[in-house]
């Protein structure tokens, strides 16, 4: 009940903000010369198609390759005004159903995949059936402790299950003509919680595995859960990646650190209004303003 009320408030709040003209102003003033990067996980094809139509009407969809070429000066052209890049994290098996939409609209999409999970029937540890609260607590633990606790409830990274959760090898091979596949580590650990050895393997082996198994050119990394530190930046750089994506909020200029690129998360069930508001950054501005007001005027009884 509470979540449905929340959803309703979110829906009508976004609708009102969309009608206010503020997202248009933000697009014209803040996003005209900056790259906006959206991040999805699982989204059904009908919703994705609606999202594509909404985005195409307001932005110029660009590929990661275009952005990198402009960054390193190898492109003759600049990026178009209001450039926007669509990224999808993890490589869930449902992503295969997006292929007809991607082909039909000819839109560039980058999917970050875990080399140790795609092409197998292994499961993502964060989809092991544990409650969300437990998953969030596990993210706080040292990597070895996290794995130990997962093993206690029967989860093992390398265990093959009957049902797969990730894209199959055949699906990736079929999609790669239309989709830019990039790296999301081997098993999706929380990198800053790993020791140096494991962090190096997760970042390095993912690139080499994807390149050899699928004949891909892997130049970009998405940090799992958006968690990274200076060590991860250095490892990514040394491994030979050209850039890496966080989930830090904001837009990107050519001066943004290429290993700390910012993204905006869009949930798969976002309405059109929510998509417009979130992609324009207005949602975060309103949320931050509300938090600030709450902080200033919230009187604790103690
Ligand atoms: Zn992920």
């Amino acid at each position: 009940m509470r979540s449905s009320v929340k959803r309703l408030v979110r829906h009508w709040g976004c609708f009102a903000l969309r009608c206010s003209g503020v997202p248009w102003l933000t697009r014209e003033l803040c996003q005209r010369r900056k790259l906006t990067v959206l991040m999805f996980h699982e989204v059904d094809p009908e919703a994705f198609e609606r999202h594509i139509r909404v985005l195409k009407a307001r932005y110029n969809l660009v590929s990661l390759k275009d952005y990198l070429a402009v960054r390193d000066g190898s492109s003759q052209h600049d990026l178009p005004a209001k450039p926007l890049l669509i990224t999808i994290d993890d490589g869930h098996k449902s992503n295969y159903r997006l292929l007809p939409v991607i082909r039909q609209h000819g839109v560039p999409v980058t999917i970050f995949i875990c080399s140790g999970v795609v092409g197998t029937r292994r499961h993502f540890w964060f989809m092991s059936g544990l409650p969300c609260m437990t998953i969030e607590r596990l993210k706080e633990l040292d990597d070895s402790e996290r794995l130990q606790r997962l093993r206690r409830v029967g989860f093992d990274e390398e265990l093959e299950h009957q049902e797969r959760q990730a894209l199959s090898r055949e699906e990736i091979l079929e999609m790669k003509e239309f989709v830019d596949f990039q790296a999301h580590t081997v098993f999706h650990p929380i990198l800053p919680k790993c020791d140096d050895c494991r962090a190096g393997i997760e970042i390095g082996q993912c690139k080499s595995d994807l390149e050899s198994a699928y004949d891909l050119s892997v130049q970009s990394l998405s940090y799992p859960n958006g968690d990274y530190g200076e060590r991860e930046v250095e490892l990514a750089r040394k491994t030979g990646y050209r850039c890496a994506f966080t989930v830090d909020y904001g837009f990107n200029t050519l001066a943004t650190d290429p290993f700390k690129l910012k993204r905006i998360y869009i949930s798969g069930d976002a309405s059109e209004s929510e998509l417009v508001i979130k992609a324009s950054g207005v949602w975060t501005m309103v949320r931050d303003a509300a938090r600030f007001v709450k902080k200033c005027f919230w009187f604790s009884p103690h």
Side-chain angles (χ1 to χ4, degrees):
M1 181 66 185
R2 232 180 125 192
S3 69
S4 64
V5 170
K6 253 184 169 176
R7 210 167 30 241
L8 215 62
V9 169
R10 195 173 69 182
H11 174 76
W12 286 108
C14 286
F15 182 72
L17 280 170
R18 184 182 177 182
C19 297
S20 71
V22 179
W24 176 83
L25 214 59
T26 319
R27 282 197 299 277
E28 296 304 321
L29 296 179
C30 306
Q31 294 176 287
R32 179 159 277 276
R33 301 250 60 91
K34 290 177 185 164
L35 176 72
T36 302
V37 186
L38 301 186
M39 178 190 72
F40 294 88
H41 282 124
E42 288 197 271
V43 51
D44 71 64
E46 294 76 24
F48 193 62
E49 176 150 36
R50 283 198 300 277
H51 289 168
I52 296 291
R53 287 184 195 281
V54 166
L55 293 171
K56 270 177 121 176
R58 291 163 177 78
Y59 297 93
N60 284 299
L61 304 191
V62 297
S63 68
L64 177 56
K65 216 169 141 191
D66 291 341
Y67 172 69
L68 290 174
V70 172
R71 264 204 89 115
D72 69 15
S74 63
S75 169
Q76 305 272 315
H77 310 283
D78 205 351
L79 284 175
K82 291 177 275 183
L84 184 140
L85 169 65
I86 295 174
T87 68
I88 302 176
D89 275 16
D90 301 335
H92 295 274
K93 70 174 181 183
S94 64
N95 291 167
Y96 177 68
R97 295 170 58 224
L98 304 180
L99 183 58
V101 182
I102 294 170
R103 288 179 70 161
Q104 187 197 332
H105 289 272
V107 287
V109 172
T110 294
I111 302 185
F112 293 100
I113 53 180
C114 296
S115 63
V117 187
V118 295
T120 74
R121 283 181 288 110
R122 292 170 182 163
H123 281 183
F124 293 109
W125 71 269
F126 51 87
M127 289 173 70
S128 51
L130 292 170
C132 288
M133 289 268 285
T134 311
I135 297 291
E136 290 309 310
R137 276 201 295 270
L138 287 172
K139 289 178 183 174
E140 301 296 321
L141 301 176
D142 275 348
D143 194 59
S144 53
E145 174 73 11
R146 177 183 65 87
L147 291 173
Q148 214 170 66
R149 294 213 187 175
L150 283 166
R151 274 195 287 272
R152 263 187 244 148
V153 293
F155 178 86
D156 191 287
E157 290 182 323
E158 305 207 14
L159 188 70
E160 299 266 349
H161 298 256
Q162 280 208 316
E163 284 285 313
R164 67 184 165 95
Q165 290 182 334
L167 290 167
S168 70
R169 178 179 168 74
E170 294 69 31
E171 287 167 344
I172 292 173
L173 292 174
E174 185 186 339
M175 292 172 84
K176 75 173 197 175
E177 187 184 340
F178 308 95
V179 170
D180 172 35
F181 285 106
Q182 298 292 322
H184 197 36
T185 70
V186 181
F187 287 115
H188 205 289
I190 305 300
L191 288 169
K193 302 292 179 187
C194 296
D195 60 30
D196 291 350
C197 178
R198 177 144 201 216
I201 291 170
E202 285 286 335
I203 291 173
Q205 193 182 311
C206 180
K207 178 170 161 58
S208 53
D209 282 354
L210 293 178
E211 287 180 335
S212 60
Y214 299 98
D215 195 22
L216 299 169
S217 168
V218 178
Q219 319 215 339
S220 172
L221 170 74
S222 157
Y223 303 112
N225 206 44
D227 292 322
Y228 70 99
E230 290 309 313
R231 180 190 64 176
E232 284 68 34
V233 167
E234 213 32 54
L235 282 169
R237 200 190 309 270
K238 277 187 187 157
T239 302
Y241 291 100
R242 291 169 70 192
C243 68
F245 287 84
T246 69
V247 290
D248 296 345
Y249 164 78
F251 310 120
N252 304 282
T253 65
L254 295 183
T256 306
D257 186 330
F259 290 90
K260 297 179 184 176
L261 293 173
K262 297 163 185 169
R263 291 191 293 176
I264 296 171
Y265 172 64
I266 307 288
S267 67
D269 64 350
S271 66
E272 286 181 25
S273 296
E274 191 177 336
L275 174 67
V276 171
I277 296 304
K278 287 194 170 168
S280 67
V282 172
W283 178 263
T284 308
M285 281 192 260
V286 170
R287 191 197 61 197
D288 290 351
R291 280 182 185 165
F292 179 74
V293 168
K294 195 175 165 187
K295 207 171 142 193
C296 291
F297 296 100
W298 184 260
F299 297 101
S300 162
H302 299 291

